[in-house]
Amino acid sequence: MLGTIDAVIIGVLAFTGGHFLLSSAPIRDRAVEAIGEEKFRGLYSLVMLGALVWLILAYRDAPYLEVWLPSAATKWIPNILVPLACILLVSGITTRSPTSVGGEAMLAEPTTFKGILTITRHPFLWGTGLWSLGHLATNGDLASILLFGAIAVLSFAGMPALDAKLRRKVDSAWGPVAMTTSIVPFLAVIQGRTRLDLAGIGWWRLGLGVLVWVLLYGAHPYYAGVWPHPG
């Protein structure tokens, strides 16, 4: 069945829909009650990994069906967004956060949110979201629109969904998180609810993020088949 747009659609529904379905309160609560938190997380990760592998393989073999033709100027968009995305991804992966898997343990005692969390409490999802938007801007075929659109939906809709799940799980301990951090980058800083902590982010995270982007940029022709430089 690979090699068709239908395979991409199945992958999108399994990967994106699966995240929201398995994370929904009725299903998640019953599953955790039946098999326990750790086993549920393992099963959840295994199912999502399988869906992601299917989606990647389906996208790789999908036929090219043009929906719109991007102009040469749109190639600047990923070249602006992806470096920022890489910095956010690196910062999100290397910073302990209450919204990450198992992060609610941070709320067991008074916690001051530092570093990238003073910009947004969802740095990783902002990273994947910007990455997907950048690629949507420069790919006009149906398979790419489905793939990158699905990741964008999962990223940006996932932020309030994660907040709702954590708020329900930790109850009143959610208050300090909501009061001193924000989904929208820099909003908590602008509103005076926190102070920007650039020192907490660290130059090494910025440097590592840029390095990741440089490596992805240089290797782009080998894993994606096209050169990302405009012009």
Side-chain angles (χ1 to χ4, degrees):
M1 191 173 183
L2 292 175
T4 66
I5 289 297
D6 287 345
V8 180
I9 294 173
I10 291 172
V12 164
L13 292 176
F15 185 64
T16 307
H19 270 88
F20 291 112
L21 183 65
L22 293 178
S23 298
S24 63
I27 292 179
R28 187 183 187 282
D29 290 351
R30 289 180 182 179
V32 169
E33 184 179 353
I35 63 175
E37 182 78 31
E38 292 302 318
K39 288 184 179 179
F40 173 77
R41 286 179 180 173
L43 179 62
Y44 179 95
S45 299
L46 185 61
V47 170
M48 289 303 100
L49 178 60
L52 178 59
V53 170
W54 173 276
L55 180 56
I56 292 172
L57 294 176
Y59 175 73
R60 183 196 64 182
D61 295 340
Y64 183 87
L65 300 176
E66 186 177 287
V67 176
W68 67 288
L69 181 63
S71 68
T74 63
K75 282 194 175 182
W76 284 105
I77 297 176
N79 281 281
I80 293 171
L81 294 184
V82 174
L84 295 175
C86 289
I87 292 172
L88 286 165
L89 287 168
V90 167
S91 298
I93 291 171
T94 60
T95 301
R96 193 177 177 217
S97 168
T99 58
S100 61
V101 176
E104 63 272 8
M106 289 180 65
L107 306 179
E109 54 188 47
T111 301
T112 301
F113 301 107
K114 299 178 180 180
I116 196 66
L117 300 181
T118 62
I119 295 178
T120 174
R121 60 177 172 262
H122 293 289
F124 182 85
L125 289 179
W126 269 102
T128 57
L130 292 180
W131 177 84
S132 60
L133 291 181
H135 285 77
L136 270 174
T138 193
N139 290 278
D141 64 289
L142 182 56
S144 294
I145 291 171
L146 288 169
L147 172 66
F148 299 122
I151 295 174
V153 169
L154 184 59
S155 299
F156 293 112
M159 297 182 205
L162 279 175
D163 283 0
K165 183 180 75 172
L166 185 59
R167 181 172 60 246
R168 185 171 60 88
K169 189 170 186 178
V170 302
D171 197 20
S172 60
W174 171 252
V177 183
M179 288 177 61
T180 59
T181 64
S182 62
I183 290 179
V184 179
F186 298 104
L187 182 60
V189 174
I190 293 170
Q191 293 177 338
R193 295 187 283 115
T194 192
R195 297 177 110 182
L196 182 61
D197 181 24
L198 291 176
I201 297 175
W203 287 108
W204 70 269
R205 287 190 176 92
L206 299 178
L208 183 56
V210 171
L211 177 60
V212 169
W213 169 68
V214 168
L215 293 174
L216 291 174
Y217 190 91
H220 205 273
Y222 301 101
Y223 65 82
V226 293
W227 181 247
H229 187 72

